[in-house]
Amino acid sequence: MKRLEGKVAIVTASTQGIGFGIAERLGREGAAVVISSRRQRNVDEAVEKLRAKGIEVTGVVCHVANAQHRKNLITKTIEKYKNIDIIVSNAAANPSIEGILASEESVIDKIWEINVKGSILLIKDTAPYLKKGSSVIFVSSITAYHPSESMFMYGVTKTALLGLTKALAAEMAPDTRVNCIAPGFVPTHFSNFLLSNEAIKNEIENRTLVKRLGTVDDIGAAAAFLASDDASYITGETLVVAGGVPSRL
Ligand code: NAP
């Protein structure tokens, strides 16, 4: 399917893992994709991989908490492709496995700065360029619904994204739809601290109804749907992609 032909998509934190999977799927569906992350080497390697798959792609270094980097990401996209139709805010950090009350203020600042403030400022910076029919997608987490041990503060920042989705959907209507994806557990560098433990991995797999972990393609498919006209009557919603792990009624 080529639902995104002629569209331009920015995906943050997209040189590996879920962000890369989203960029690849949007690109396979016809979008020109602008990928980014903090390290030039990672950006260059990811651009090469996507180009080898026939995807129209540009890479830009962007640490989402850096205002100049965000501005550069947007300017480079506009210079090259003229428009922005899809923006996926995917970057997140979980710098500590401490409980909330045991966390240093600097750790709390960092996690909110990347996961929430970075997401807000990215959309604030991009909003002037978004056209009628454009789409914003936040990447939250199943932990948004039920923060789990070793991820309590992280989970709360992901809960904030559910509210941000509702608020911005109202603020950016009717021209821009704003939705969110809440992935379950997907093997990536980020989740390795949990999933490298075989017992925890098995326990998480067994908690799903489909008896498997998620894949980056599962999340990419959800993003492509939300970004496409197939979802033109959907805004302010969070799509849980977690193999049936309980989230809400
Ligand atoms: P990952 O595989 O570790 O990938 C992280 C990517 O983000 C890399 O490309 C990294 O590249 C980049 N990055 C890290 N910090 C960044 C920053 N401050 N600014 C810009 N780029 C940054 O992570 P992932 O598992 O795919 O996670 C992606 C998103 O999915 C996150 O929002 C996470 O909360 C969410 N999520 C993940 C899971 C899971 O089980 N994996 C479940 C639910 C939700 P550089 O090192 O070059 O910056």
Side-chain angles (χ1 to χ4, degrees):
M1 264 197 288
K2 288 271 188 188
R3 292 178 292 187
L4 305 176
E5 204 83 69
K7 307 259 189 204
V8 178
I10 293 176
V11 186
T12 65
S14 45
T15 57
Q16 64 176 357
I18 287 173
F20 184 87
I22 291 173
E24 180 175 353
R25 179 60 186 257
L26 299 183
R28 276 181 24 222
E29 293 227 21
V33 288
V34 180
I35 61 160
S36 59
S37 79
R38 295 166 300 180
R39 294 183 183 88
Q40 184 72 58
R41 197 170 138 216
N42 293 347
V43 171
D44 293 344
E45 283 175 8
V47 163
E48 238 173 72
K49 280 188 204 156
L50 291 172
R51 249 182 220 147
K53 291 168 193 268
I55 289 167
E56 170 58 41
V57 56
T58 296
V60 180
V61 168
C62 177
H63 185 317
V64 294
N66 181 315
Q68 195 51 47
H69 284 194
R70 289 194 307 271
K71 187 165 180 268
N72 193 40
L73 175 64
I74 293 160
T75 308
K76 288 257 164 66
T77 305
I78 295 293
E79 273 171 15
K80 178 135 191 203
Y81 298 115
K82 310 281 183 283
N83 295 312
I84 304 170
D85 304 279
I86 301 160
I87 173 105
V88 182
S89 177
N90 171 64
N94 184 28
S96 163
I97 57 165
E98 303 260 319
I100 292 172
L101 301 182
S103 295
E104 297 288 341
E105 186 173 348
S106 58
V107 169
I108 294 172
D109 281 345
K110 176 164 186 197
I111 198 166
W112 283 87
E113 183 181 32
I114 307 282
N115 298 10
V116 182
K117 191 175 162 197
S119 299
I120 294 168
L121 293 179
L122 178 75
I123 305 310
K124 187 170 158 61
D125 293 345
T126 316
Y129 302 96
L130 291 175
K131 297 190 311 184
K132 188 172 172 51
S134 55
S135 170
V136 171
I137 299 172
F138 292 112
V139 177
S140 175
S141 166
I142 188 71
T143 61
Y145 294 94
H146 192 105
S148 51
E149 206 178 328
S150 74
M151 311 179 90
F152 284 135
M153 189 79 269
Y154 164 86
V156 177
T157 62
K158 293 297 192 178
T159 312
L161 294 184
L162 310 189
L164 183 64
T165 299
K166 294 276 181 208
L168 287 184
E171 233 180 278
M172 298 177 83
D175 288 351
T176 301
R177 294 180 300 104
V178 182
N179 291 296
C180 183
I181 299 170
F185 286 88
V186 177
T188 64
H189 177 70
F190 181 82
S191 57
N192 194 45
F193 77 104
L194 285 174
L195 299 179
S196 57
N197 178 319
E198 200 62 24
I200 295 178
K201 177 176 165 280
N202 290 340
E203 200 269 317
I204 290 172
E205 263 171 358
N206 280 326
R207 233 190 293 149
T208 69
L209 299 181
V210 298
K211 301 299 170 211
R212 68 168 175 87
L213 298 174
T215 66
V216 301
D217 296 337
D218 291 327
I219 313 306
F225 165 66
L226 288 174
S228 76
D229 288 344
D230 286 347
S232 63
Y233 203 51
I234 302 177
T235 190
E237 298 296 343
T238 296
L239 187 51
V240 177
V241 185
V245 168
S247 54
R248 58 196 162 173
L249 278 181

